[in-house]
Amino acid sequence: QGQLVESGGGLVQAGGSLRLSCVASGNIFRIDAMAWYRQAPGKQRELVARITFYGITNYADSVKGRFTISMNNAKNTVDLQMNSLEPEDTAVYYCNTETTFGGYWGQGTRVTVSS
């Protein structure tokens, strides 16, 4: 059985930084891409950033230039460096992994940005 475990969330002042990490373990193989999504109360879950096995990245317009997604050499960990955080970034952030055999979701880590 595989799982994704997120860490790094917390409370930060506007303008501050956080680094989220997600580690895939267990029966998760053939990872094609990993991504971070977020969901604020009363809103739909949205894609924040995505990175493929080959290092191709894409970002939501709202975070472009502030967030950076990266994957380790083993292709089982994805990080999200979040700089210049804004109150609008407040949400639960979820790790997602795309594999040949389907997708997986983490349980989420909460990010709160105070003004």
Side-chain angles (χ1 to χ4, degrees):
Q1 188 170 348
Q3 63 178 3
L4 299 175
V5 179
E6 303 107 327
S7 62
L11 174 65
V12 66
Q13 296 288 326
S17 299
L18 286 173
R19 188 176 183 89
L20 306 183
S21 183
C22 171
V23 180
S25 63
N27 296 332
I28 298 181
F29 306 102
R30 307 292 186 183
I31 294 175
D32 297 315
M34 301 185 78
W36 286 95
Y37 289 73
R38 68 186 181 187
Q39 186 168 22
K43 296 185 178 180
Q44 296 292 316
R45 186 172 299 186
E46 64 177 349
L47 176 67
V48 177
R50 179 177 181 269
I51 184 168
T52 73
F53 177 86
Y54 300 99
I56 300 173
T57 61
N58 64 278
Y59 298 89
D61 289 341
S62 60
V63 308
K64 192 175 182 65
R66 299 187 296 119
F67 292 8
T68 302
I69 190 169
S70 61
M71 184 182 294
N72 71 348
N73 290 333
K75 312 299 183 183
N76 66 345
T77 300
V78 62
D79 290 349
L80 185 69
Q81 178 65 46
M82 305 185 294
N83 298 326
S84 301
L85 284 162
E86 305 167 352
E88 292 74 19
D89 297 317
T90 295
V92 177
Y93 285 69
Y94 297 91
C95 180
N96 172 262
T97 299
E98 303 166 25
T99 79
T100 303
F101 307 102
Y104 300 84
W105 289 94
Q107 295 186 25
T109 184
R110 183 175 298 276
V111 172
T112 302
V113 184
S114 62
S115 59

